[in-house]
Amino acid sequence: MTAVAEHMTDQDFERLVAPYRRELYAHCYRMLGSAHDAEDLVQETYLRAWKGYDHFEGRSSLRTWLHRIATTACLTALDRRGRRPLPTGLGGPTDTPEAALAERADLPWLEPMPDVLGGPDDTVDPGAVVAARESVRLALIAALQYLPPRQRGVLILRDVLRFSAAEVARSLDISVPAVNSLLQRARAQLGRITPAEDTVPAPRSDQREKLDRYVAAFESYDIGALTELFTAEASFEMPPFATWVRGAGNIGRLIDTHCPAERPGDLAMVPTSANGQPAFGMYLRGEDGAYRAFGIHALTLVEQGISHCAVFFDTGLFRLFGLPAVHGAASS
């Protein structure tokens, strides 16, 4: 293996590890809860792998070896960082949507994951695609943030990536009994904090119709039409604001009060996808008529309507989603 590594070029190495990039990105995102940090940690993983490739003896698969490097890098990063919550994880909803929003710029908020970087490959088995989407949904990533880093790593490696207990033990340099103990505790805690899934996802054909109505309602700034799309118990949150609301009526009041749009045409919605779910890049029209990046909407749709919306106002996310900073000019 050392002799092979000595003659390997950067291009050879990139071709060797390229098939694992999306999977590694999703893994780092599950560990960190940050799209930006996941991008950085994938690059660090590749750098460490390139530097250490001459020591890779092939006793495990290349995939297992890369995930070991990525997990170690993520655990090191988590030693210096706190968990990333969503507003719904910090307290109850407000009953006064018209009140001033409580901004918490000091918190490292959970970020959405662009499917273009870490989403499942739709050419593989459909069952695997569904499982991959479930493993990165926002509610699960938010729940994982409550697990201690090592428990989080074991749970992801065993239950998501399906590595054996022995492989995980070698990756984390611990014993198999320790892996099993960490996994048992992680599963128990996750079961206590993961929201119950008591609604059925909307069929794909039904989703398209609801999403079209969602876009039309925002772009025409029709609060009534927008309110009708949410379920009675839907939640709406907007990091970096800790304030969030529950219920279609309260969502309409919140948007009507705090959205800077004033008239039809002030907003433009560009479709994308995040965490295996529908999403949109929202653009706000400026005085010069150009639509500039404003926020990323990540939606959860069920048979009854939209059950959850998280709007992320970090415009730095637009680059990761492959969305431009300026969408275009308004029509005259």
Side-chain angles (χ1 to χ4, degrees), residues 16-81:
L16 192 65
V17 300
Y20 305 102
R21 180 176 290 274
R22 292 172 71 90
E23 184 178 356
L24 287 169
Y25 183 91
H27 177 54
C28 292
Y29 172 74
R30 294 185 196 100
M31 288 289 295
L32 302 168
S34 166
H36 287 104
D37 289 352
E39 186 179 46
D40 292 341
L41 265 293
V42 169
Q43 295 304 318
E44 183 174 339
T45 296
Y46 274 22
L47 180 60
R48 291 187 185 188
W50 168 245
K51 290 181 176 179
Y53 190 72
D54 57 337
H55 299 298
F56 175 55
E57 299 176 349
R59 287 183 292 183
S60 63
S61 69
L62 180 61
R63 174 177 178 261
T64 300
W65 184 65
L66 290 171
H67 275 89
R68 176 178 186 176
I69 295 172
T71 303
T72 300
C74 288
L75 289 174
T76 299
L78 287 169
D79 284 341
R80 306 187 298 269
R81 308 171 195 181

Side-chain angles (χ1 to χ4, degrees), residues 30-306:
R30 294 185 196 100
M31 288 289 295
L32 302 168
S34 166
H36 287 104
D37 289 352
E39 186 179 46
D40 292 341
L41 265 293
V42 169
Q43 295 304 318
E44 183 174 339
T45 296
Y46 274 22
L47 180 60
R48 291 187 185 188
W50 168 245
K51 290 181 176 179
Y53 190 72
D54 57 337
H55 299 298
F56 175 55
E57 299 176 349
R59 287 183 292 183
S60 63
S61 69
L62 180 61
R63 174 177 178 261
T64 300
W65 184 65
L66 290 171
H67 275 89
R68 176 178 186 176
I69 295 172
T71 303
T72 300
C74 288
L75 289 174
T76 299
L78 287 169
D79 284 341
R80 306 187 298 269
R81 308 171 195 181
R83 69 179 179 91
R84 288 179 172 270
L86 284 173
T88 45
L90 296 180
T94 181
D95 294 324
T96 54
E98 295 83 3
L101 301 175
E103 184 172 4
R104 291 294 306 275
D106 57 307
L107 287 179
W109 293 101
L110 187 71
E111 296 174 352
M113 186 197 77
D115 285 352
V116 68
L117 294 180
D121 183 352
D122 289 342
T123 64
V124 303
D125 176 67
V129 171
V130 171
R133 285 176 178 154
E134 285 295 300
S135 74
V136 293
R137 71 187 192 277
L138 273 177
L140 175 61
I141 301 302
L144 287 174
Q145 294 292 300
Y146 287 85
L147 299 179
R150 194 167 289 269
Q151 282 188 26
R152 193 184 313 172
V154 167
L155 183 78
I156 293 168
L157 291 171
R158 289 285 285 121
D159 286 359
V160 177
L161 296 173
R162 302 298 180 184
F163 288 148
S164 69
E167 288 174 317
V168 176
R170 287 193 295 270
S171 294
L172 300 181
D173 197 23
I174 57 178
S175 67
V176 169
V179 167
N180 293 334
S181 177
L182 287 166
L183 180 61
Q184 183 179 17
R185 295 202 300 272
R187 285 172 174 169
Q189 186 169 349
L190 195 66
R192 290 192 296 270
I193 60 182
T194 302
E197 299 290 344
D198 55 1
T199 50
V200 179
R204 288 284 172 179
S205 57
D206 193 32
Q207 281 194 22
R208 185 69 268 159
E209 185 267 340
K210 286 184 172 68
L211 294 174
D212 288 343
R213 290 170 59 195
Y214 189 78
V215 169
F218 262 110
E219 293 188 339
S220 63
Y221 203 54
D222 186 338
I223 302 300
L226 190 61
T227 302
E228 291 176 358
L229 290 169
F230 287 93
T231 65
E233 294 298 314
S235 55
F236 191 95
E237 52 191 332
M238 311 176 297
F241 300 101
T243 304
W244 66 282
V245 294
R246 175 177 286 131
N250 285 333
I251 292 171
R253 290 163 59 192
L254 180 78
I255 295 172
D256 192 29
T257 302
H258 296 289
C259 181
E262 297 178 351
R263 60 186 64 85
D266 278 352
L267 299 170
M269 306 289 280
V270 176
T272 183
S273 56
N275 298 80
Q277 298 171 301
F280 294 93
M282 173 182 272
Y283 292 80
L284 178 66
R285 182 169 59 182
E287 293 182 359
D288 60 355
Y291 287 93
R292 291 181 173 82
F294 187 60
I296 300 287
H297 288 226
L299 304 176
T300 300
L301 277 74
V302 295
E303 284 187 329
Q304 301 91 335
I306 299 171

Side-chain angles (χ1 to χ4, degrees), residues 305-324:
I306 299 171
S307 64
H308 177 260
C309 177
V311 184
F312 300 88
F313 288 119
D314 177 5
T315 56
L317 290 166
F318 278 66
R319 176 187 64 81
L320 296 181
F321 277 84
L323 296 172

